[in-house]
Amino acid sequence: MNLREYSLEDKEKLIWQKINTKTKPLGSLGKLESLAAQVCKVQNTLTPQITNPQMLVFAGDHGLAQEGVSAYPQEVTWQMVLNFLNGGAAINVFSQQENLELQVVDAGVNFNFDSIDTSISTGKLINQKIGYGTRNSLEDSAMDTNQVKEAIERGRRLIKELVKTRSTNCLGFGEMGIGNTSSASLIFSAISGKPIETLVGSGTGVFDAALDHKIEVLQKVSNRHDLPRLFTQKSTFSALDWVEEVLSKVGGFEIAMILGAILQAKEDSLLILIDGFIVGAVVLLAHHLDSSVLENCIFAHVGNEKAHRSMLEFLKADPLLDLGLRLGEGSGAALAFPLIQAAVNFMNNMASFESAEVSEASKP
Amino acid sequence: MNLREYSLEDKEKLIWQKINTKTKPLGSLGKLESLAAQVCKVQNTLTPQITNPQMLVFAGDHGLAQEGVSAYPQEVTWQMVLNFLNGGAAINVFSQQENLELQVVDAGVNFNFDSIDTSISTGKLINQKIGYGTRNSLEDSAMDTNQVKEAIERGRRLIKELVKTRSTNCLGFGEMGIGNTSSASLIFSAISGKPIETLVGSGTGVFDAALDHKIEVLQKVSNRHDLPRLFTQKSTFSALDWVEEVLSKVGGFEIAMILGAILQAKEDSLLILIDGFIVGAVVLLAHHLDSSVLENCIFAHVGNEKAHRSMLEFLKADPLLDLGLRLGEGSGAALAFPLIQAAVNFMNNMASFESAEVSEASKP
């Protein structure tokens, strides 16, 4: 049954009619029910399917990393990319478990992957390098506007290509980039008007004095680029100009590329599985450009990064998991995937009260 | 590496050493890390494995159902058992998705399954019927003490048999029985001393006036069997006598049988995956008999039944999922299973900082 011709109201009615006649008490599958309804609406069907689900991990470096905003040195970005290619990271383990194809995109890592003599297949890495890391946003804008445009465009092209070649209809988004929780906090501040110091968390693990230092650095970055003023100008700029302005100031390459990818995924009616705080910050930007993008977004989890919960509340998003994760890479997205599969499966495979000849509840 | 010979302290040290050298920020896999550590301790190894995981759904009827404590008539118990055997229920769909073997046990359903002329394989049903439903606990004790003993013993035997024949090391527990949230609330009241009226929830879906009625009925049951006095006697009786006393008063057959099964599963060092409010009530009893049972219990989820969260707090249990489920059948346990698999897989398959040549975090 193709629901495309129906009004949104009629779609909802048909979908919930199907959910509510399954052999279970009304509402008893909780969030899985609203998830099933969302998938049906995105796919315009009462018999949804997940085909060739895939994880995409975008990696990029951040000039701001040199200010000591992360517990790890910048080189960890490329080292972890190699770890992804070697199959040794959490996202590899979880993707493999859930039969999710995993691809890693070099959006702008500060490393020449062609240079290494290695037995691993660097050919698995999708080279979309915009540059060798962004500039330090404490001293300069992180990117030129044309780099931002190029990153968004390449993100879009990647998804077009994927849809064409693999007929995937469900994409999970993850990232790797030492310093990128800083970009995410700055983006959240610019878009929400919340003071930057309330949005800074431990990232990969900065605590106490190191966290105070991170907060101080991000306050300086915010002042340098006058993010509070940018916030007040949100409705005077064109949405795209405004988003490009924010991205050029605070980065990063992988964030801009994910933005393009998510916008294209929405246009192609894919399910968009959102991982943690950084990919969430991309959704903030995507939502500013096109609020309907949320129709396709499934928020995998709320993590332990300080402002993640308030970011999800800002988006009125209801995450599936709450496991205290703060790893990134798309790990939360991969872990939430079986819940999406379960929502689809109960919709297709559970009996109805009628078909199973089970008595219904007495009407109150 | 067999950890059996090590002290608990040394075990913990070795396990966390392995977790903390994986290529991820310290603690960044949140609850999956403590879950991995638990599985390692239960299995006494640094390389845990899940073998032949299985769901067991125990079904039984409750005489109290005739007092209108459920939204559904009693016949739904046997109808849902047939639905399980036909593969049409939520637990079928989720078990199949996760490759969990599913077995249904008739602990005391008010129906003669041999009587039906059907194309379905009732042979898949494990017949351990203690009786055709318990007595109405508003009028009498729900079970005789020898029925309680028999149910516990049969639960134990079932697990011994399963371990012998299928080498399973991970069991998920679920239940089906119209009226059994009432038993669970009464058990929780007896063991915690909390007033019964604070522990009564909507079960499969009683709201407003119907919920008031359920509360009133359970207050009468509590008064009839003087559960508040039973609570004060908890430490004067032998633990087993006390548990048998509670079970004989408020039932039910499936609850007593699950108790035996969980006790045996603990003795056989299995992982014990706990579903919702009713199986949780069994854990309250098991814990009173042997507090070490919690070492093996993994709490799948906190559901929407009113007192489920306070029950988990009473057990100091940290559930994996919070999806607003209130279905039972083991559905939450099956949905949580991939997280256990993920904990085991990251422990075995993620690279360490050393093996992947990734730089470690700077020491704070």
Side-chain angles (χ1 to χ4, degrees):
Chain A
M1 187 173 197
N2 189 327
L3 299 181
R4 211 170 297 270
E5 307 302 316
Y6 290 80
S7 71
L8 183 60
E9 198 184 332
D10 285 347
K11 266 186 219 183
E12 291 270 1
K13 206 173 141 187
L14 286 164
I15 290 167
W16 284 100
Q17 205 164 54
K18 182 164 178 185
I19 293 173
N20 290 341
T21 52
K22 295 292 185 184
T23 48
K24 57 170 192 57
L26 267 186
S28 62
L29 281 175
K31 281 187 194 180
L32 284 198
E33 299 191 8
S34 42
L35 181 55
Q38 181 186 8
V39 175
C40 286
K41 275 184 282 183
V42 167
Q43 299 189 353
N44 276 303
T45 179
L46 294 176
T47 51
Q49 297 294 340
I50 309 285
T51 51
N52 300 322
Q54 165 140 4
M55 289 297 312
L56 281 170
V57 182
F58 293 78
D61 270 312
H62 294 254
L64 192 65
Q66 67 196 62
E67 302 297 334
V69 290
S70 173
Y72 290 85
Q74 190 180 70
E75 70 210 36
V76 166
T77 305
W78 69 258
Q79 290 169 344
M80 282 302 295
V81 168
L82 291 189
N83 197 19
F84 298 151
L85 299 174
N86 274 318
I91 188 58
N92 297 99
V93 174
F94 301 154
S95 296
Q96 188 177 24
Q97 175 179 318
E98 299 304 331
N99 290 312
L100 303 168
E101 177 83 15
L102 169 65
Q103 288 197 292
V104 186
V105 182
D106 175 7
V109 179
N110 187 20
F111 188 75
N112 181 1
F113 290 100
D114 298 333
S115 73
I116 48 168
D117 175 27
T118 170
S119 57
I120 64 157
S121 164
T122 49
K124 287 192 293 185
L125 184 66
I126 303 178
N127 182 359
Q128 297 290 344
K129 197 192 284 289
I130 305 287
Y132 285 81
T134 58
R135 289 186 294 262
N136 181 347
S137 57
L138 190 58
E139 296 171 349
D140 202 341
S141 61
M143 305 187 250
D144 301 331
T145 307
N146 59 11
Q147 288 181 315
V148 176
K149 288 180 194 289
E150 178 68 18
I152 292 175
E153 181 51 33
R154 288 195 191 183
R156 281 189 178 273
R157 254 186 278 145
L158 254 174
I159 303 308
K160 280 187 200 160
E161 192 63 23
L162 256 182
V163 170
K164 209 191 306 174
T165 56
R166 293 197 68 244
S167 315
T168 178
N169 70 2
C170 178
L171 284 180
F173 288 92
E175 44 54 49
M176 177 71 220
I178 295 300
N180 67 6
T181 58
S182 292
S183 289
S185 293
L186 291 160
I187 289 168
F188 188 18
S189 178
I191 213 155
S192 69
K194 294 175 200 273
I196 182 67
E197 61 271 24
T198 66
L199 306 179
V200 184
S202 298
T204 50
V206 294
F207 300 100
D208 308 321
L211 180 56
D212 291 341
H213 173 71
K214 181 177 177 183
I215 292 170
E216 198 185 319
V217 169
L218 295 202
Q219 273 174 326
K220 284 183 189 161
V221 175
S222 174
N223 292 341
R224 191 193 192 292
H225 299 290
D226 205 350
L227 297 188
R229 194 171 60 103
L230 211 52
F231 167 69
T232 62
Q233 295 173 335
K234 214 167 63 167
S235 52
T236 54
F237 277 68
S238 90
L240 186 59
D241 285 349
W242 189 86
V243 164
E244 287 175 358
E245 182 79 2
V246 172
L247 282 171
S248 74
K249 287 181 187 315
V250 302
F253 294 138
E254 80 282 31
I255 289 175
M257 207 171 283
I258 295 173
L259 175 60
I262 285 179
L263 292 171
Q264 187 63 43
K266 163 66 186 164
E267 282 188 35
D268 289 336
S269 298
L270 307 187
L271 295 169
I272 304 169
L273 187 49
I274 304 301
D275 186 34
F277 186 65
I278 294 119
V279 182
V282 179
V283 177
L284 294 173
L285 298 173
H287 174 256
H288 183 59
L289 292 170
D290 171 13
S291 63
S292 76
V293 76
L294 295 185
E295 295 167 4
N296 295 48
C297 289
I298 298 166
F299 292 85
H301 78 112
V302 54
N304 245 6
E305 175 67 12
K306 181 182 171 185
H308 195 195
R309 196 174 294 273
S310 67
M311 179 189 279
L312 292 168
E313 281 164 7
F314 186 84
L315 288 165
K316 299 185 178 60
D318 191 14
L320 292 170
L321 298 172
D322 180 3
L323 295 169
L325 306 174
R326 49 177 183 78
L327 175 55
E329 301 179 2
S331 52
L335 289 170
F337 180 75
L339 295 176
I340 306 174
Q341 193 64 63
V344 164
N345 287 345
F346 96 72
M347 204 59 182
N348 291 316
N349 302 331
M350 264 181 83
S352 67
F353 281 101
E354 198 181 326
S355 72
E357 296 179 40
V358 174
S359 308
E360 296 205 44
S362 53
K363 300 292 174 219
Chain B
M1 186 174 199
N2 189 327
L3 299 181
R4 212 170 296 269
E5 307 302 316
Y6 290 80
S7 71
L8 183 59
E9 198 184 331
D10 285 347
K11 265 186 220 184
E12 290 269 1
K13 206 172 140 187
L14 286 164
I15 291 168
W16 284 100
Q17 205 164 54
K18 181 163 178 184
I19 292 173
N20 290 340
T21 53
K22 296 293 185 184
T23 47
K24 56 169 192 56
L26 268 185
S28 62
L29 281 175
K31 281 188 195 179
L32 283 197
E33 299 191 9
S34 42
L35 181 56
Q38 181 186 9
V39 175
C40 287
K41 276 184 282 184
V42 167
Q43 299 190 352
N44 275 302
T45 179
L46 294 176
T47 51
Q49 296 293 340
I50 309 285
T51 51
N52 300 322
Q54 165 141 3
M55 289 297 312
L56 281 170
V57 182
F58 294 78
D61 269 311
H62 294 254
L64 192 65
Q66 67 198 61
E67 302 297 334
V69 290
S70 172
Y72 290 85
Q74 190 180 70
E75 71 209 37
V76 165
T77 305
W78 68 259
Q79 290 170 344
M80 282 303 294
V81 168
L82 291 190
N83 198 19
F84 298 152
L85 299 174
N86 274 320
I91 188 58
N92 297 98
V93 173
F94 301 154
S95 296
Q96 188 178 23
Q97 175 179 320
E98 299 304 331
N99 289 312
L100 302 168
E101 177 83 14
L102 169 65
Q103 288 197 290
V104 186
V105 182
D106 175 7
V109 179
N110 187 19
F111 188 76
N112 181 3
F113 290 100
D114 297 333
S115 73
I116 48 167
D117 175 27
T118 169
S119 58
I120 65 160
S121 163
T122 49
K124 286 192 291 183
L125 183 66
I126 303 179
N127 182 0
Q128 296 291 344
K129 196 192 284 290
I130 305 287
Y132 285 80
T134 58
R135 288 188 294 264
N136 182 348
S137 58
L138 190 57
E139 296 170 350
D140 202 341
S141 62
M143 305 188 251
D144 301 332
T145 307
N146 59 10
Q147 288 181 314
V148 176
K149 288 182 194 289
E150 179 67 17
I152 292 175
E153 182 50 33
R154 288 195 190 183
R156 281 191 177 274
R157 256 186 277 146
L158 253 175
I159 303 308
K160 280 187 200 159
E161 192 62 24
L162 255 182
V163 170
K164 211 192 303 174
T165 55
R166 293 196 69 244
S167 316
T168 178
N169 72 1
C170 178
L171 284 180
F173 288 92
E175 44 54 50
M176 177 71 220
I178 295 301
N180 67 6
T181 57
S182 291
S183 289
S185 292
L186 290 161
I187 289 168
F188 187 19
S189 178
I191 212 155
S192 69
K194 295 176 200 275
I196 181 66
E197 62 270 24
T198 65
L199 306 179
V200 184
S202 297
T204 49
V206 293
F207 301 101
D208 308 322
L211 180 57
D212 291 341
H213 172 71
K214 180 177 178 183
I215 293 170
E216 198 184 320
V217 170
L218 295 201
Q219 274 174 326
K220 284 183 190 161
V221 175
S222 174
N223 291 341
R224 191 194 190 292
H225 300 290
D226 205 349
L227 297 188
R229 193 171 61 103
L230 211 53
F231 168 70
T232 63
Q233 295 173 333
K234 213 166 66 169
S235 52
T236 54
F237 277 68
S238 92
L240 185 59
D241 286 349
W242 189 86
V243 163
E244 287 175 358
E245 181 79 2
V246 171
L247 281 171
S248 73
K249 287 182 186 316
V250 302
F253 294 138
E254 81 282 30
I255 289 176
M257 207 171 282
I258 295 173
L259 176 60
I262 285 179
L263 292 171
Q264 187 61 43
K266 163 66 185 164
E267 282 185 29
D268 289 336
S269 298
L270 308 187
L271 295 169
I272 304 169
L273 187 49
I274 305 300
D275 186 33
F277 185 65
I278 293 119
V279 182
V282 179
V283 177
L284 294 173
L285 298 173
H287 174 256
H288 183 59
L289 293 170
D290 171 12
S291 63
S292 77
V293 76
L294 295 184
E295 294 167 5
N296 295 48
C297 288
I298 298 167
F299 292 85
H301 77 112
V302 54
N304 246 6
E305 175 66 13
K306 180 181 173 186
H308 195 196
R309 196 174 294 273
S310 67
M311 180 189 277
L312 292 167
E313 282 164 7
F314 186 85
L315 288 165
K316 298 185 179 61
D318 191 13
L320 292 171
L321 298 173
D322 180 3
L323 295 169
L325 305 174
R326 48 177 183 79
L327 175 55
E329 301 179 2
S331 52
L335 289 170
F337 180 75
L339 295 176
I340 306 174
Q341 193 64 63
V344 164
N345 287 346
F346 97 72
M347 205 59 182
N348 291 317
N349 302 332
M350 264 181 81
S352 68
F353 281 101
E354 199 180 324
S355 72
E357 295 179 40
V358 174
S359 308
E360 295 204 45
S362 52
K363 300 291 173 219

